[in-house]
Amino acid sequence: MNNSVTPATNDARKGDVVAPTKEKGWFYTDTVKDHFFHPKNFLEDEAGYGDAYLGMVGSPACGDAMKVWLKIEKEADGTERIKDFKWKTFGCASAIASTSMLSVMVTENGGMPIEAALALRPQDIMERLGGLPARKVHCSVLGDKALRSAVMDYYRKSGQIDKVEVEAGRLIDKVLKITDHDIEEAVLEGADTLEKVQARTKVGTGDPSCIPEVENLIRFYKEKYFGA
Ligand code: FES
């Protein structure tokens, strides 16, 4: 089987791939399967990584977790490069393949500068993998979120406190106490319209004045994670 994929044409979003046979079901590219069966940079033994910068996140969508260890070096010109990226997860095939690919992307060619790694988009990983089923996108962002968490650990430990971003949710529906993170997770789980997000979160039913902002957030997260 080769890596050629056919963009889905029905209700699938960008990033979806379908089997060339057009049979119903998921299709994983050979690249995804290769990274799943032969994951790169998976951490077998934590010995030697006690001083690495650590990031850990969980997925509200499925309860799975991801842990990332980074080694970062500062060059003479001040560039901070990621020289090593190791990871472990309880996640599924999509999380394993995406994080394996991410680990290759940030360490190849001598290591990516931190700023470039933080600017990577989920679609960049998708492109290298040849696509993932849209409903698995929430798995593919786990590695990226753990990477960010590990970079924040580096900023804290290297005294660059002004660069530390704290993942605090912004209250959107003040009556039901629903945050932008709740909207983000709903979109990652496949809710791509206001109605679908409301079916999952009830956002706006307590405070209808927030609905325009909810619609903006849905557009923002769809663009961020699905490029559409
Ligand atoms: S289902 Fe949990 S990471 Fe994919």
Side-chain angles (χ1 to χ4, degrees):
M1 192 185 292
N2 63 33
N3 267 351
S4 68
V5 293
T6 308
T9 51
N10 300 331
D11 61 347
R13 291 173 297 254
K14 203 170 169 183
D16 260 338
V17 289
V18 296
T21 57
K22 302 245 188 301
E23 284 169 5
K24 225 173 167 189
W26 294 351
F27 174 71
Y28 290 109
T29 66
D30 285 351
T31 309
V32 171
K33 284 187 274 190
D34 181 46
H35 278 269
F36 172 56
F37 288 118
H38 310 287
K40 314 287 186 290
N41 298 308
F42 183 82
L43 188 65
E44 305 273 0
D45 181 359
E46 295 188 22
Y49 282 83
D51 61 348
Y53 302 105
L54 188 63
M56 196 163 97
V57 293
S59 167
C62 64
D64 287 325
M66 176 72 67
K67 214 167 168 183
V68 160
W69 291 258
L70 293 183
K71 293 196 177 180
I72 297 170
E73 281 178 20
K74 193 167 187 174
E75 297 177 341
D77 66 358
T79 306
E80 296 158 302
R81 282 187 194 277
I82 298 175
K83 305 302 277 187
D84 196 4
F85 178 123
K86 292 282 189 295
W87 57 278
K88 262 185 186 176
T89 187
F90 295 111
C92 66
S94 297
I96 290 168
S98 307
T99 310
S100 173
M101 177 58 87
L102 175 64
S103 74
V104 169
M105 291 168 73
V106 299
T107 54
E108 64 192 0
N109 303 320
M112 204 175 253
I114 288 179
E115 292 74 19
L118 291 178
L120 280 174
R121 302 164 310 151
Q123 297 98 301
D124 299 326
I125 303 171
M126 297 284 174
E127 273 166 29
R128 291 279 294 261
L129 288 173
L132 273 179
R135 74 186 73 178
K136 303 303 285 181
V137 169
H138 77 86
C139 317
S140 75
V141 302
L142 271 182
D144 179 59
K145 289 188 171 184
L147 163 68
R148 282 163 200 281
S149 167
V151 169
M152 296 309 135
D153 187 38
Y154 167 71
Y155 284 151
R156 269 188 212 98
K157 289 177 176 163
S158 59
Q160 304 180 72
I161 306 300
D162 54 318
K163 293 187 179 172
V164 176
E165 292 169 12
V166 181
E167 279 264 328
R170 188 163 55 86
L171 211 50
I172 303 298
D173 185 323
K174 295 179 179 60
V175 176
L176 296 182
K177 300 214 183 323
I178 293 168
T179 68
D180 52 350
H181 289 330
D182 298 316
I183 312 288
E184 179 180 13
E185 289 304 327
V187 173
L188 273 170
E189 288 172 48
D192 56 1
T193 63
L194 175 64
E195 291 70 29
K196 290 180 189 172
V197 170
Q198 284 185 313
R200 284 169 192 260
T201 65
K202 303 276 180 281
V203 68
T205 56
D207 173 16
S209 69
C210 71
I211 283 180
E213 191 172 6
V214 174
E215 289 177 315
N216 280 338
L217 284 169
I218 294 170
R219 269 193 293 277
F220 172 77
Y221 290 125
K222 278 170 65 181
E223 165 64 30
K224 177 174 177 182
Y225 294 117
F226 301 99

